[in-house]
Amino acid sequence: MDPEEIKRAKGLEKTALVGEAVEKLIDSDSAKRDYLDRARIVARVYKAILPDAAAIEFSPDAVLISVLAERIRSLMPKPDISSIMQDVEELLDRSVAPIPYEPPEDPELIDIGQIDFDKLRQKFDTGKQRTEAEQLRALLSQKLAQMVAGNPTRADFLERFQKLIDGYNSGSQNVEAFFNALMRLAEALSEEEQETLREGLTEEEKALFDILTKPEPELTEKEREQVKAVARTLLQTLKDEKLVLDWTKKEQARGAVRQVIEVTLDDGLPDAYDEETFYRKCDGLYRHVFDAYQRGPGGIYAAA
């Protein structure tokens, strides 16, 4: 891609050429990081020589480099880029060759349950494949962070995601295979969310239920319903009585939470839980409650 061609173009043609350049620059994570590192250096140097009149000579190149970098960042999971954004805005204000910024398409796809997989496949087949794969990767990264924080038994999805990225970066699969694998993972995450609804549980209740049932013990359908009731009772008791503000900082409050977990499980779990399994589940539940409800009864679920 010839930078001079991009700078000479106007309007939609310029925007399209910028998109094509981004597609080439995100060939791999290492290539992407290398470009972003170089773009930061250019932005700093350019800013350092302003407002010297000599800077005007380099303005079109500096703007192009920075806008390409910002387009790449827009495909990635949401980082803190406030300082870089300020540099880019200053460059655009002083530029003699401004380039329109095109935001990522389909912002409504934040909810993975609303993804139209057929449409996504069509966009990949007919569009810029690396760009589409990068957008899907960013979406999954954000969704997985939310899902695993709310339910630690979903960590295997995160491991699967990381293996996909490692395989792609190692060159063991091309962009189409990478995209197909991301699609399968997205479908699996959507199915996981649907399972919560089928079980008749809230996200909070499902987290407790999964900790109590995965990967063991084997339960009958009647026993599963019994464990659901235990999860609901435990959650409600903790919220009503124990998860006060700053409870994690007080030894007595922490002990009370642990005691409620053990008593509730001891009273309600079926006989399928032997002593070793029982205490392992108590440990798992306490760790989850400690991590998820440090801010009180709403915990991390309140923001969601």
Side-chain angles (χ1 to χ4, degrees), residues 20-301:
E20 292 177 15
V22 168
E23 177 76 0
K24 295 179 182 298
L25 290 169
I26 58 175
D27 177 58
S28 66
D29 277 7
S30 59
K32 182 170 58 181
R33 285 194 298 268
D34 182 63
Y35 180 82
L36 292 177
D37 288 343
R38 292 171 184 268
R40 290 188 188 96
I41 294 173
V42 170
R44 292 193 190 102
V45 172
Y46 182 79
K47 185 177 180 180
I49 63 175
L50 289 173
D52 194 303
I56 295 178
E57 176 186 352
F58 306 104
S59 181
D61 291 320
V63 170
L64 176 58
I65 290 168
S66 291
V67 170
L68 288 173
E70 193 52 40
R71 284 289 299 275
I72 291 172
R73 292 188 193 98
S74 74
L75 302 175
M76 300 164 65
K78 299 172 184 175
D80 181 8
I81 56 170
S82 54
S83 60
I84 302 298
M85 280 296 296
Q86 183 177 354
D87 288 346
V88 172
E89 288 170 3
E90 291 179 3
L91 290 174
L92 289 173
D93 288 343
R94 293 176 168 84
S95 171
V96 297
I99 300 175
Y101 172 72
E102 179 186 3
E105 296 181 5
D106 293 334
E108 72 275 8
L109 297 187
I110 292 175
D111 183 354
I112 203 163
Q114 300 299 316
I115 290 182
D116 184 333
F117 290 105
D118 292 334
K119 178 182 177 183
L120 202 59
R121 161 58 61 188
Q122 184 180 17
K123 287 180 66 178
F124 177 82
D125 290 339
T126 60
K128 300 177 180 66
Q129 294 188 340
R130 294 193 188 99
T131 300
E132 294 300 332
E134 194 72 17
Q135 288 178 328
L136 180 55
R137 170 181 167 177
L139 172 67
L140 292 180
S141 177
Q142 294 169 8
K143 187 61 180 180
L144 278 166
Q146 175 191 357
M147 291 180 69
V148 174
N151 188 334
T153 68
R154 293 167 173 165
D156 56 330
F157 287 112
L158 197 57
E159 293 173 7
R160 177 176 165 185
F161 180 61
Q162 189 57 52
K163 287 180 181 178
L164 291 180
I165 295 172
D166 292 343
Y168 179 59
N169 287 333
S170 69
S172 64
Q173 55 182 346
N174 60 25
V175 66
E176 183 173 8
F178 180 55
F179 182 82
N180 288 337
L182 290 176
M183 285 278 282
R184 290 192 293 271
L185 178 57
E187 291 170 343
L189 295 182
S190 180
E191 176 65 20
E192 169 68 16
E193 290 189 322
Q194 290 302 312
E195 182 184 335
T196 302
L197 298 177
R198 288 195 300 270
E199 294 283 6
L201 299 168
T202 66
E203 275 293 313
E204 294 178 81
E205 293 167 348
K206 181 67 159 50
L208 303 189
F209 177 74
D210 284 348
I211 293 170
L212 287 170
T213 58
K214 294 180 179 180
E216 56 183 8
E218 288 283 340
L219 299 171
T220 65
E221 189 58 36
K222 181 179 179 181
E223 288 172 331
R224 285 175 62 84
E225 292 301 318
Q226 188 175 344
V227 175
K228 287 181 189 179
V230 171
R232 292 189 184 100
T233 299
L234 175 59
L235 182 63
Q236 196 61 53
T237 301
L238 289 171
K239 283 175 167 268
D240 289 345
E241 302 175 9
K242 303 302 178 183
L243 299 181
V244 297
L245 185 65
D246 293 334
W247 71 271
T248 59
K249 299 177 182 178
K250 303 169 184 176
E251 183 177 355
Q252 185 175 359
R254 294 195 302 270
V257 167
R258 174 72 188 209
Q259 183 180 28
V260 166
I261 291 173
E262 292 188 6
V263 170
T264 305
L265 266 56
D266 189 43
D267 289 344
L269 288 180
D271 294 337
Y273 292 80
D274 58 31
E275 184 175 1
E276 180 183 354
T277 304
F278 173 84
Y279 283 108
R280 188 162 60 250
K281 298 300 183 179
C282 288
D283 290 342
L285 284 174
Y286 179 77
R287 286 196 300 271
H288 169 66
V289 172
F290 187 94
D291 292 339
Y293 294 95
Q294 294 193 25
R295 297 194 296 265
I300 62 173
Y301 304 94

Side-chain angles (χ1 to χ4, degrees), residues 9-23:
K10 298 182 182 299
L12 293 177
E13 180 187 3
K14 185 186 289 288
T15 300
L17 290 174
V18 167
E20 292 177 15
V22 168
E23 177 76 0

